Amino acid sequence: MVEEIGTTTEGDLIINVGPQHPATHGVLHLVITLNGETIKKIEPHLGYIHRSIEKMCESLTYRQFIYVTSRMDYLSAHINNHACALCVEKGMQIEVPARAEVIRVLMDELTRIASHELWWGAMAMDLGAFTPFFHAFREREAINEIMEETCGARLTMNYMVPGGVMQDLHPDFQRKVKEFIILFKRKIDEYDELVTGNIIFQNRMKGIGYISPEDAIAYGCSGPVLRGSGVSCDVRKIYPYGIYGQLNFEEVLETAGDSFARYMIRIREMKQSIRIIEQLIDNIPEGDFVAKTKAVLKLPKGEFYTRVETARGEFGVYIVSEGGTTPYRIKFRSPGFSNLSALDHMARGSKLGDLVAMMGTLDLVIPDIDR
Amino acid sequence: MENDVLKNIITVLLPNAVYEEEGEWLNVNVEPADWLSFAKQLRNNDVLHLDQLFCLTCIDWKTHLTVVYHLSSTTYHHNIVVKVKLDKSKPEIETVSQIWPTAEFHEREVYEMFGVKFLNHPDLRLLILPDGWEGKNPMLKDFEDPINMIKL
């Protein structure tokens, strides 16, 4: 008897994964309807760490609200900050100095590598391999040290402000980044040997969690999830912001649409990030690191939207201003929220054991979803 | 595609649309009754092909609510913003989750945060707020929570 996927009938088993399951990478709760081992339906339950950041932003000034966005997607804090700073700059029409633009892109790309490193380690751990986690954290530590010196924080950095960056680079920055590039180029090949080519790993990823390009677009997926289905969607290429339009890098695309494609996207994307950093690290222009702005910013009446490419996909900031010092309404379009909505569609008909591979390659960060 | 070209195409599809052009993207104001058929046309029109609903949100203007849809085309890379003004005493609008499935989650969020009822939504439940949440919708401007809200 063929049972219809997506409906609950008598005899189905309903299990809960999370809210604290290690494979959910945070406080995500999935209610899964199973027929035997086959997934019939997944209902994500969110909100365990909802802090109503958007509401909070309504009482914060345009300088202050940027800080809370680091607490959303803490793994790509810089890129979130960049989006907010860009949105305020768009409203105020602030010119950003060339030095700040270069520093911002360097920080964004280092963040992207750090985020993908953590994902890679955690992903391999989800599938039962523990060693990659240590490898990934060792390399990520080098980035964290660079961040700590310049930004004073290792995770929730608040470095980008409207008009530029908060302070100048640490004197050791260039040397340390160059050391990191040499280290990373050697290690990324090791990653491929350790995990990518492993037959057990490949069997657990290939053909798992397939999503077609049309469905991925319809579910609002972005970033590596959408590009894994072969849809060109890199915001850095399509709607360039900052100095991305002048840089030389490829948009990474895979066409298989399965977990392995999404895995390969992130591995290849790290190499592109290194390429961007290499182009810029010796050419940081001299000059101001921040434009002169007023202490309290007032955005003109209107609506402003900016989108950037974070490690997880497209992050959007929508500011509705009534002309005051605080925003009237702010909406954060977080990539994880839309990517998660595709999980049910991806997982229907698969085996429960494959769910961790699917969740792993979605690269969910829960505060980003809950906000 | 330029905003005025988009505007010409949209005027043919929906003659009574009202435009705002101060922003970066073309803003189209639509009546709630027109929205569902207009949404289908936006999605299926070969020239527009707005297949990605990348942001769906709501604004509380105290006198009324505005649901805002940000749409873009993954093929042609143009964007438009559609705004639908709703009556605050009875905010109701047709769901677009069958056109853009991503709306299913976004609409549930707007439902719990603003109290907008999405008609014919397949599963209109609370998404982020705890089960059994009673009282007002937290994102409305007149929401007060004396215990948990910190005034800055």
Side-chain angles (χ1 to χ4, degrees):
Chain A
M1 191 180 83
V2 184
E3 279 196 76
E4 204 189 328
I5 298 283
T7 54
T8 314
T9 45
E10 211 183 314
D12 283 347
L13 182 66
I14 294 176
I15 65 157
N16 293 281
V17 173
Q20 292 288 9
H21 192 277
T24 58
H25 299 202
V27 209
L28 176 67
H29 176 191
L30 299 174
V31 180
I32 304 169
T33 309
L34 286 174
N35 177 23
E37 261 189 272
T38 310
I39 296 169
K40 291 176 81 178
K41 194 164 79 176
I42 296 184
E43 285 175 70
H45 285 206
L46 310 174
Y48 288 92
I49 42 174
H50 177 64
R51 293 154 292 178
S52 203
I53 280 182
E54 289 166 9
K55 183 90 178 173
M56 228 188 276
C57 286
E58 288 174 9
S59 58
L60 295 171
T61 68
Y62 289 108
R63 275 185 199 283
Q64 290 169 332
F65 93 93
I66 297 179
Y67 297 82
V68 290
T69 58
S70 311
R71 273 79 186 164
M72 282 164 49
D73 191 346
Y74 45 80
L75 296 180
S76 51
H78 271 305
I79 315 181
N80 280 8
N81 289 174
H82 196 170
C84 299
L86 281 170
C87 201
V88 176
E89 282 154 17
K90 188 188 267 181
M92 298 277 296
Q93 294 173 335
I94 301 170
E95 281 281 324
V96 181
R99 184 175 173 84
E101 290 279 24
V102 171
I103 295 174
R104 281 178 173 187
V105 170
L106 279 170
M107 287 302 185
D108 279 3
E109 295 310 316
L110 283 172
T111 308
R112 198 181 310 279
I113 294 172
S115 172
H116 284 350
E117 291 262 21
L118 189 127
W119 160 81
W120 182 78
M123 162 86 219
M125 200 161 71
D126 287 348
L127 295 182
F130 207 76
T131 322
F133 194 70
F134 294 116
H135 283 250
F137 264 66
R138 188 181 55 197
E139 273 78 77
R140 189 169 172 268
E141 185 60 27
I143 297 182
N144 278 351
E145 271 176 25
I146 296 170
M147 294 292 178
E148 195 176 3
E149 277 183 352
T150 299
C151 320
R154 294 161 61 87
L155 203 63
T156 49
M157 295 76 114
N158 296 301
Y159 187 51
M160 298 193 192
V161 292
V165 292
M166 194 174 277
Q167 61 202 25
D168 213 349
L169 292 171
H170 190 270
D172 282 345
F173 180 81
Q174 267 174 312
R175 181 178 59 81
K176 288 211 167 164
V177 171
K178 281 182 193 165
E179 279 171 14
F180 171 74
I181 295 172
I182 296 165
L183 168 87
F184 187 78
K185 280 190 164 168
R186 204 172 64 235
K187 292 296 175 189
I188 190 95
D189 295 331
E190 221 172 79
Y191 290 5
D192 283 343
E193 280 169 39
L194 195 64
V195 174
T196 316
N198 184 314
I199 191 73
I200 301 169
F201 195 71
Q202 289 203 0
N203 283 345
R204 290 204 59 190
M205 302 259 270
K206 282 190 174 166
I208 300 301
Y210 173 76
I211 186 159
S212 70
E214 296 77 30
D215 286 337
I217 294 168
Y219 278 98
C221 298
S222 56
V225 181
L226 187 50
R227 267 176 278 141
S229 296
V231 182
S232 158
C233 68
D234 195 326
V235 183
R236 294 173 294 172
K237 282 281 182 197
I238 299 172
Y239 311 105
Y241 54 93
I243 52 164
Y244 277 110
Q246 303 153 29
L247 294 170
N248 221 340
F249 66 101
E250 273 169 41
E251 178 179 12
V252 185
L253 286 176
E254 294 273 337
T255 48
D258 57 4
S259 296
F260 193 67
R262 295 191 281 274
Y263 170 89
M264 282 313 291
I265 293 265
R266 294 200 179 90
I267 291 285
R268 288 171 56 200
E269 202 171 73
M270 284 198 266
K271 294 175 186 168
Q272 294 298 325
S273 292
I274 284 288
R275 205 173 138 192
I276 295 174
I277 295 169
E278 277 180 324
Q279 283 170 48
L280 294 174
I281 192 66
D282 286 320
N283 307 310
I284 306 176
E286 293 296 322
D288 291 339
F289 55 84
V290 65
K292 281 199 174 61
T293 49
K294 286 194 178 123
V296 179
L297 301 173
K298 265 189 184 174
L299 246 68
K301 200 172 175 212
E303 290 167 20
F304 310 97
Y305 193 101
T306 47
R307 53 216 302 210
V308 298
E309 183 77 17
T310 74
R312 265 152 287 285
E314 185 182 315
F315 177 74
V317 181
Y318 178 47
I319 298 181
V320 179
S321 169
E322 280 284 84
T325 53
T326 56
Y328 186 75
R329 164 97 170 102
I330 281 198
K331 163 80 185 170
F332 297 114
R333 187 263 186 223
S334 54
F337 187 81
S338 300
N339 287 351
L340 177 69
S341 71
L343 179 66
D344 179 40
H345 176 82
M346 273 181 199
R348 283 184 183 189
S350 326
K351 297 278 184 280
L352 179 63
D354 293 331
L355 181 68
V356 283
M358 277 176 238
M359 270 201 287
T361 51
L362 285 182
D363 193 11
L364 302 171
V365 167
I366 308 305
D368 182 44
I369 297 165
D370 280 355
R371 282 162 283 130
Chain B
M1 210 185 291
E2 295 297 318
N3 280 357
D4 47 341
V5 184
L6 282 171
K7 192 174 157 183
N8 291 340
I9 300 167
I10 291 167
T11 312
V12 176
L13 295 178
L14 192 74
N16 61 349
V18 183
Y19 302 93
E20 295 166 32
E21 281 174 275
E22 303 92 71
E24 176 189 8
W25 297 326
L26 183 71
N27 282 243
V28 189
N29 287 295
V30 178
E31 289 296 316
D34 295 336
W35 168 232
L36 187 64
S37 62
F38 182 54
K40 278 182 190 149
Q41 285 172 316
L42 293 178
R43 169 68 184 80
N44 299 326
N45 186 297
D46 290 334
V47 192
L48 293 172
H49 197 67
L50 293 155
D51 52 353
Q52 194 182 28
L53 175 69
F54 63 93
C55 186
L56 193 169
T57 187
C58 186
I59 306 165
D60 176 16
W61 290 108
K62 289 176 187 157
T63 51
H64 61 270
L65 297 171
T66 307
V67 184
V68 186
Y69 301 83
H70 284 79
L71 296 160
S72 72
S73 165
T74 53
T75 322
Y76 306 114
H77 306 309
H78 52 238
N79 306 289
I80 72 161
V81 184
V82 180
K83 290 181 187 163
V84 189
K85 199 171 144 180
L86 299 181
D87 185 3
K88 205 170 175 186
S89 58
K90 199 177 174 228
E92 279 184 351
I93 188 167
E94 280 288 331
T95 176
V96 286
S97 55
Q98 70 281 31
I99 305 171
W100 298 285
T102 181
E104 202 174 309
F105 264 40
H106 280 100
E107 284 175 352
R108 276 172 71 182
E109 195 191 339
V110 171
Y111 163 70
E112 63 185 356
M113 295 294 173
F114 292 90
V116 175
K117 201 169 167 224
F118 289 90
L119 305 169
N120 301 318
H121 187 284
D123 191 15
L124 201 61
R125 290 180 293 132
L126 298 176
L127 179 70
I128 288 170
L129 295 174
D131 291 343
W133 174 268
E134 277 174 25
K136 277 196 163 160
N137 307 91
M139 284 301 287
L140 291 177
K141 287 282 176 188
D142 56 359
F143 176 80
E144 288 292 335
D145 183 348
I147 298 162
N148 297 312
M149 249 167 86
I150 301 161
K151 276 263 154 57
L152 293 163

